[in-house]
Amino acid sequence: MTTSSDCVFCKIVSGDIPALAILDTEHAYAFLDIAPLAEGHALLIPKDHIESLEQMPPEGLARLMRELPRLARAVASATAAEGYNVLQNNGRVAGQVVNHVHFHIIPRRSGDGLGYRWNAGVYPEGRAETLQARIREALH
Ligand code: AMP
């Protein structure tokens, strides 16, 4: 297992920092967020120290994702949530504070006041096609 000595989530996995664990498998760990956006706000992480999503080997991500539906179901059911958001931040600009891949599971209920600015834009003529071509090229 790869770990980083200065990573708070690696220290949680190793038990050096306490956390309220809710799931512990060979490759995955989940615990309650210390500063919850809602009651039951949980974090699902790989035990391996990997900083961001695109660095994860596909098999490792698949293993982690295998745990997500049952974890989301348990969090939602235990908190009697009406729904939930799964949030995954990569990079400071995207709000990532802890450089160890993690998926937030945030229980939601109507009127909870949580939200985000979703400033939907409009592409100028031809821009979407340019980006489509660039992204397709980058995939190869
Ligand atoms: P992000 O902004 O996506 O990097 O989210 C990091 C999350 O980790 C935040 O929601 C923090 O509240 C949470 N967090 C940081 N340190 C701890 C900790 N020791 N135990 C539990 N959650 C933590």
Side-chain angles (χ1 to χ4, degrees):
M1 199 170 70
T2 52
T3 60
S4 165
S5 55
D6 57 1
C7 170
V8 64
F9 287 176
C10 286
K11 286 181 183 160
I12 284 175
V13 170
S14 66
D16 292 332
I17 288 182
L20 295 175
I22 50 183
L23 178 148
D24 185 359
T25 70
E26 189 182 352
H27 299 286
Y29 202 77
F31 50 98
L32 291 182
D33 195 298
I34 202 168
L37 291 180
E39 283 196 353
H41 180 168
L43 299 172
L44 173 65
I45 67 170
K47 286 188 171 174
D48 271 327
H49 179 79
I50 297 171
E51 298 206 345
S52 62
L53 187 71
E54 80 287 353
Q55 295 168 359
M56 285 204 72
E59 320 74 53
L61 183 59
R63 268 197 310 255
L64 185 64
M65 290 301 90
R66 214 173 292 148
E67 310 298 342
L68 185 56
R70 72 184 183 111
L71 181 61
R73 203 177 302 122
V75 168
S77 133
T79 58
E82 296 163 39
Y84 57 90
N85 287 111
V86 173
L87 180 67
Q88 204 276 319
N89 300 326
N90 298 280
R92 284 285 173 277
V93 72
Q96 184 178 14
V97 173
V98 178
N99 289 334
H100 183 131
V101 168
H102 51 281
F103 287 79
H104 296 258
I105 298 153
I106 306 164
R108 298 297 308 270
R109 51 183 65 257
S110 51
D112 62 15
L114 290 177
Y116 31 70
R117 274 175 295 138
W118 193 284
N119 295 335
V122 179
Y123 285 118
E125 182 75 27
R127 182 66 180 158
E129 289 75 9
T130 301
L131 291 167
Q132 175 194 25
R134 272 196 212 162
I135 295 166
R136 289 173 67 110
E137 171 73 22
L139 274 171
H140 295 303

